[in-house]
Amino acid sequence: MAAQFGRRLRRGATTTAVAAAAVAALSASQAPAAPHPDSATGDQAAAGATPSGDSAATGNSPYHTDLPPLNTPNKPGASVNLPVTGSAEAGIPASVLAAYKQAEREIAGTDAACRLPWQLLAAIGKVESGQARGGKVDANGTTFSPILGPALNGQGFALIKDTDGGAYDGDSTHDRAVGPMQFIPSTWATWGQDANGDGRKDPNNIHDAALAAGRYLCAGTRDLSIATDLDRAVLSYNHSTEYLRTVRSWFDYYNRGTHEVPDGTGVLPVDTGGSTASPSPTPTPPAATTPPATSPPATPPATTPPPATTPPKPTPPPTTPPPTTPAPGQVFGSLENAGTGPLTATAGEAFTQRVKARARNTLGAPLARISVTFALVGDTDARFTGGKKTVTLATGADGTVTAPALTAGEKTGTFKVTAVAGTNKPRTVTYTAGVTARVADTVARTGDKALTAAPGAEFTDRVEVRTTYKGTGVADTAVTATMITDAETPAENDKGPYFKDADGGPVRTLDLTTGADGLLTLPKIYADETAGTYTLRLTTASGATLTIELKVEAPAA
């Protein structure tokens, strides 16, 4: 579970001015903790920070407090595709910009109601890591070296003990924020994405991190085109009003225009954002010394008492209004199956049913705009529309949401489909789906040449057939070949054409199996001495039937 914090921890300040500076410079960056997607009260924050001191361009700041220049990249309403000659601060490295726009498109296809603008991702990426240290990423979008925040050891920052064994941040004692979007490991475990399709969820990959940040910002019922929802999303990323103002400044700046610059050439932040180093130890006081003896004056000098002063009233600390508690009718309570029928399909075909779920509030009434994530679980190559294994959608006005169409792959057997909603207390509904193998519905000859033989001779042409299901060959299909009579109720014939068994004796019924692509070549057929027209019948277990005519006649003179 992602660590969450309701306040920031900072070093003390002695004056109002210093305190204000501390808010901007020493507040611990709160990388995303999993917010409750059902209400604003879930906008909690978890610690995270900007890169550690392994790069002079980033310093040890929890997040970068640089503000955009006063001159905007272009006047409002102008094209966002400005030439490279535009303001340097408006330039975003190519791979980083592509990742933000890719995340916007991806989320628009799965959670259109969120209305995520890529400029918001760019603003957060600027504040958290200076756009991945000015776009220092490889061809796959992975930073050349990990971007790590300071150890969250409680000394000037939040205290978060290790949750990942150092797998992401290399620290097995405390957690550190990781990557260009600065996720703490426990949050990445929940929200991490594989946006570039390399099979890994890497917080140091800008494509993975941007999509994860987008999904995190869109959690729950947020509509980021609404200012209050956007503010809640940013505050859930870092619970600091100063952080919100900084991100908002860059968001507005990028909305006025940006342009692409080559990777590695982005403008780097110049602020230090506060040192992440441990505080200096308290110096040891010097040893006591005895002052030299002096003779006191005969009469002590007269002293004038200082004028009475009124001590200044202490400035009360700023207060934060308590979070608003949503009405019970707006709080997510449960998730249920909304009438999904049996999930069965033949290999390679679409399931006739689609997975449906319904969200309800704590009063039991349907609840709209709850994010539900559908996922395929188990050894299956089935996929939702678009080749996806996971998709997130929001419930409608009736509280229901329907997953995209599901298509079976070639793997047969059962697997699970899960629907999950909620973060702090997620609710899960599990559906069982099954894929059955194709069963041949047709058996037919691959040729049409007449099959004839002289009495006592063998048929010179072999019989080849193919079993198919809706035109696709079906291998390993059991086929029974029988020489039958022409009676009203056919039976095995005791005369006429025959096969040979292992000992060379006549046999008129064989059990055979098709090979690759459903093809089957029958063994050689022989004729006895009785001339006439005979029938060979082929049948499959599914009931597909084929009859073939065999003629035994003396050759023409």
Side-chain angles (χ1 to χ4, degrees):
M1 177 177 177
Q4 298 183 352
F5 298 88
R7 63 187 178 89
R8 296 177 295 116
L9 302 182
R10 64 178 78 94
R11 296 187 180 93
T14 59
T15 69
T16 303
V18 175
V23 171
L26 298 180
S27 58
S29 174
Q30 314 278 333
H36 196 294
D38 327 315
S39 69
T41 59
D43 290 330
Q44 308 272 343
T50 49
S52 65
D54 57 356
S55 169
T58 56
N60 292 320
S61 62
Y63 64 84
H64 296 296
T65 57
D66 289 13
L67 294 175
L70 294 177
N71 56 314
T72 59
N74 204 352
K75 63 182 179 180
S79 169
V80 296
N81 297 312
L82 297 180
V84 176
T85 56
S87 169
E89 283 286 2
I92 299 178
S95 294
V96 179
L97 181 60
Y100 297 151
K101 292 185 176 181
Q102 176 190 2
E104 180 191 62
R105 291 192 300 270
E106 176 75 15
I107 293 174
T110 58
D111 189 6
C114 177
R115 297 178 177 85
L116 170 75
W118 65 260
Q119 291 89 344
L120 180 59
L121 295 177
I124 291 176
K126 177 70 172 180
V127 170
E128 292 293 350
S129 68
Q131 309 297 18
R133 292 175 175 159
K136 293 181 179 178
V137 297
D138 61 20
N140 294 320
T142 303
T143 57
F144 290 118
S145 60
I147 299 179
L148 299 175
L152 300 175
N153 55 15
Q155 298 185 29
F157 309 107
L159 173 61
I160 304 180
K161 294 185 178 180
D162 176 64
T163 61
D164 66 330
Y168 292 119
D169 56 12
D171 190 332
S172 59
T173 303
H174 296 95
D175 271 349
R176 296 170 180 259
V178 183
M181 303 305 282
Q182 289 288 277
F183 279 91
I184 58 173
S186 58
T187 307
W188 184 257
T190 300
W191 293 94
Q193 302 288 316
D194 176 18
N196 61 355
D198 63 358
R200 299 177 61 232
K201 297 178 180 180
D202 184 359
N204 280 299
N205 180 276
I206 185 58
H207 298 284
D208 294 358
L211 182 58
R215 294 210 182 283
Y216 177 86
L217 293 167
C218 285
T221 61
R222 293 180 187 139
D223 179 350
L224 300 184
S225 66
I226 300 174
T228 53
D229 278 7
L230 187 144
D231 288 350
R232 289 192 186 103
V234 175
L235 286 172
S236 75
Y237 214 95
N238 181 326
H239 200 66
S240 160
T241 53
E242 194 67 30
Y243 179 87
L244 173 60
R245 292 191 194 99
T246 306
V247 170
R248 271 288 196 175
S249 297
W250 284 105
F251 177 58
D252 293 340
Y253 183 75
Y254 287 141
N255 270 318
R256 295 189 181 97
T258 62
H259 60 271
E260 178 184 299
V261 298
D263 288 347
T265 65
V267 175
L268 296 171
V270 296
D271 72 307
T272 60
S275 173
T276 62
S278 299
S280 301
T282 303
T284 303
T289 59
T290 302
T294 58
S295 299
T299 303
T303 59
T304 303
T309 59
T310 302
K313 295 182 179 179
T315 302
T319 59
T320 302
T324 303
T325 302
Q330 299 301 316
V331 178
F332 173 60
S334 63
L335 189 69
E336 63 186 30
N337 186 337
T340 306
L343 294 173
T344 58
T346 301
E349 294 192 344
F351 285 77
T352 56
Q353 291 284 328
R354 291 171 66 178
V355 180
K356 298 179 181 179
R358 178 180 290 107
R360 296 187 182 276
N361 61 24
T362 53
L363 300 178
L367 187 59
R369 300 203 60 186
I370 293 299
S371 292
V372 179
T373 298
F374 297 96
L376 307 181
V377 181
D379 185 16
T380 179
D381 54 357
R383 293 292 184 269
F384 291 117
T385 299
K388 300 179 182 297
K389 290 189 66 176
T390 303
V391 63
T392 301
L393 301 168
T395 58
D398 61 352
T400 65
V401 60
T402 302
L406 183 61
T407 301
E410 296 301 319
K411 292 182 179 179
T412 59
T414 61
F415 62 94
K416 303 292 184 182
V417 182
T418 59
V420 181
T423 303
N424 292 342
K425 294 181 179 179
R427 311 293 197 275
T428 303
V429 179
T430 302
Y431 311 77
T432 300
V435 178
T436 57
R438 296 183 182 89
V439 177
D441 56 9
T442 303
V443 56
R445 284 188 67 189
T446 59
D448 58 2
K449 188 175 182 180
L451 300 171
T452 61
E458 70 178 49
F459 287 78
T460 55
D461 295 302
R462 301 279 291 273
V463 177
E464 184 182 68
V465 298
R466 184 170 181 248
T467 57
T468 60
Y469 173 74
K470 295 184 178 181
T472 301
V474 181
D476 300 323
T477 299
V479 177
T480 299
T482 307
M483 304 294 180
I484 61 172
T485 64
D486 291 331
E488 183 175 346
T489 303
E492 182 180 286
N493 209 334
D494 59 357
K495 60 183 178 181
Y498 61 89
F499 304 105
K500 287 185 178 181
D501 61 18
D503 299 325
V507 59
R508 292 185 169 87
T509 298
L510 287 178
D511 291 324
L512 307 167
T513 303
T514 62
D517 203 30
L519 291 173
L520 170 65
T521 301
L522 273 62
K524 288 184 177 181
I525 302 174
Y526 302 87
D528 62 8
E529 299 298 332
T530 307
T533 299
Y534 299 90
T535 301
L536 167 62
R537 182 177 67 187
L538 302 178
T539 59
T540 68
S542 60
T545 303
L546 170 68
T547 57
I548 301 173
E549 185 178 85
L550 303 173
K551 286 187 177 181
V552 179
E553 58 185 10

